Amino acid sequence: MEDQNDLVRYGDETKVRIVVGKKAGCCFGVQRALDIAQNTRKERTGTVATVGPLIHNPRKVAELSADGVEVINDPANITDGTVIVRSHGAGPQLFKTANERGIAVVDATCPFVRLEQELAVALKNEGYTVVVVGDRDHAEVRAVTEWLDNDAWVVSPAQVLELPWKKMGNRIGVVSQTTQSVDGLNRVVASILPHCREIKVHNTICLATVQRQEEVRELAREAQVLVVIGGRDSANTRRLAEIGQEQGVETHLIESTEELRPEWFENISTVAVTAGASTPVDQINEVVRWIECL
Ligand code: F3S
C-alpha cells in the first residue's frame, strides 16, 4: 500500500525535537473515499449524501458538507440524488432502500472492509458460527453483521470470556474489524480454541492499521510526549493513543490545534506526532507548525 504522505522530520532549529510518523495520516481507503466523494459531487447534479460521516474526521466532513456532500443519519431520509457508501461500508438494507427509491449508489467502501464482509459471509455459508472481533457500535462492524443477517457474535478482546460457549457450536469462524490489533485478535482466538473442535480465522486487520500501530510503538520509545491527531470517533485513532499509553509515554489525542497546550511540551526534548487513518496531511502539518512555534 502506498503512503499518501511525504512527511519529514522537523527539529534541530526548534526547541523541541519533533518526530512525525511516516505512516501517519490518510490511509488508502480513506483517501479513496474522499476522492470518490469529491468526484461524485463534481459529476452529479442533485443531492449527494453519505449515510453517516464519510470518514471519522469532523473537520474534513464539514469541508465536504460545505462543498455539497451532505451527511444524513437515516437511510429513510434518502429521497433523491446519489448516496455514497462510506469507507466503513454499509449493510444490504441501504443498497435495497436506495434501489427501491431509484437513488443512485456510489460505493466508497474500503476494499479491505469489503473483503472482510465477503469472508464473513463465506464463513456463514460454510456453516461456521461467525465471531466478529471488534466494537459492536462501530459502523464497520454493524455493516458486516448486517451482511450476516445479524447472525454473528461480536466481541472485543476485553469481553471474550463473556461469549456463551454452549450456544456457539463446534465450528467457529472468525473475522476482525480492520482496525483491531493483532494482539487482540490473538487473544480472542486463543480464548475460543478450548471451546470448539474447529476454528477458521481470517486475519482481516488491514496493513495500514498494522503499520501505524507498529510505528507508534517506535515513536513512543523515542519521545517523552506523543500527540495523536484524529477524530475521537475514529477507532484506529483511539487505538493509536491507547498503544502510546500502554507504552508509558504521555499521550494526547487531539482533533485540532485548538486543543494543544504549551505546558505539554515544557522540559521535554522530543515530541512524537502521529495521526489516525482519517487525518489528512494538512491537519498534521498544522500541528507540527504549532509545536515549532513554541
Ligand atoms: Fe481501509 Fe485500512 Fe483505511 S481498512 S479505510 S485502508 S484503515
Side-chain angles (χ1 to χ4, degrees):
M1 192 180 310
E2 287 292 310
D3 272 320
Q4 304 298 309
N5 307 319
D6 186 21
L7 292 172
V8 294
R9 287 168 175 242
Y10 293 77
D12 291 344
E13 69 282 5
T14 61
K15 279 188 267 178
V16 181
R17 180 170 164 259
I18 307 168
V19 183
V20 183
K22 289 191 181 350
K23 305 292 180 196
C26 275
C27 63
F28 153 81
V30 165
Q31 192 57 53
R32 178 177 172 275
L34 289 170
D35 293 344
I36 289 173
Q38 278 151 353
N39 290 338
T40 304
R41 182 60 286 174
K42 270 188 220 139
E43 288 162 9
R44 309 243 172 156
T45 55
T47 304
V48 172
T50 60
V51 180
L54 182 74
I55 60 171
H56 280 144
N57 184 298
R59 191 166 130 198
K60 197 71 202 170
V61 170
E63 286 170 19
L64 281 171
S65 172
D67 289 343
V69 180
E70 293 174 24
V71 181
I72 55 172
N73 290 320
D74 185 349
N77 295 337
I78 308 168
T79 51
D80 70 341
T82 304
V83 66
I84 301 170
V85 176
R86 54 190 175 161
S87 53
H88 307 109
Q93 188 58 43
L94 175 63
F95 292 89
K96 188 164 169 275
T97 304
N99 190 31
E100 283 165 2
R101 298 179 182 199
I103 310 287
V105 176
V106 173
D107 192 353
T109 306
C110 174
F112 299 112
V113 174
R114 188 73 199 130
L115 180 64
E116 174 196 348
Q117 295 169 349
E118 288 168 359
L119 291 171
V121 170
L123 285 171
K124 184 181 174 190
N125 292 341
E126 289 164 29
Y128 292 94
T129 299
V130 181
V131 170
V132 180
V133 181
D135 170 2
R136 70 179 69 249
D137 296 324
H138 193 279
E140 176 189 325
V141 174
R142 287 202 307 270
V144 71
T145 54
E146 209 187 295
W147 282 103
L148 300 166
D149 296 322
N150 296 315
D151 182 13
W153 298 95
V154 178
V155 71
S156 70
Q159 297 165 323
V160 67
L161 297 178
E162 295 165 22
L163 281 173
W165 308 111
K166 290 204 172 108
K167 291 188 193 162
M168 295 181 63
N170 265 325
R171 299 177 72 226
I172 294 180
V174 180
V175 294
S176 175
Q177 185 179 354
T178 53
T179 47
Q180 289 287 304
S181 71
V182 176
D183 287 350
L185 175 59
N186 264 333
R187 247 182 291 148
V188 172
V189 171
S191 301
I192 291 174
L193 195 57
H195 299 279
C196 67
R197 307 302 305 171
E198 184 186 345
I199 182 165
K200 186 167 179 180
V201 182
H202 290 295
N203 178 357
T204 48
I205 298 169
C206 97
L207 187 58
T209 302
V210 174
Q211 287 174 335
R212 276 166 184 70
Q213 291 177 356
E214 281 173 359
E215 186 179 71
V216 86
R217 286 191 182 91
E218 284 169 29
L219 292 172
R221 280 195 285 275
E222 277 195 61
Q224 292 86 46
V225 170
L226 171 71
V227 176
V228 181
I229 313 158
R232 289 195 169 77
D233 287 344
S234 158
N236 75 82
T237 304
R238 285 203 310 267
R239 187 71 199 124
L240 292 177
E242 281 164 17
I243 291 172
Q245 280 156 357
E246 284 162 14
Q247 300 294 306
V249 66
E250 181 184 322
T251 302
H252 301 281
L253 192 164
I254 60 162
E255 291 192 349
S256 70
T257 51
E258 282 87 70
E259 295 172 59
L260 288 165
R261 295 284 168 268
E263 55 270 27
W264 295 348
F265 309 101
E266 284 169 4
N267 304 317
I268 63 161
S269 57
T270 304
V271 54
V273 177
T274 189
S278 304
T279 307
V281 70
D282 54 337
Q283 292 181 18
I284 301 171
N285 284 337
E286 280 173 22
V287 169
V288 170
R289 278 190 218 105
W290 191 100
I291 301 171
E292 278 186 303
C293 291
L294 279 171

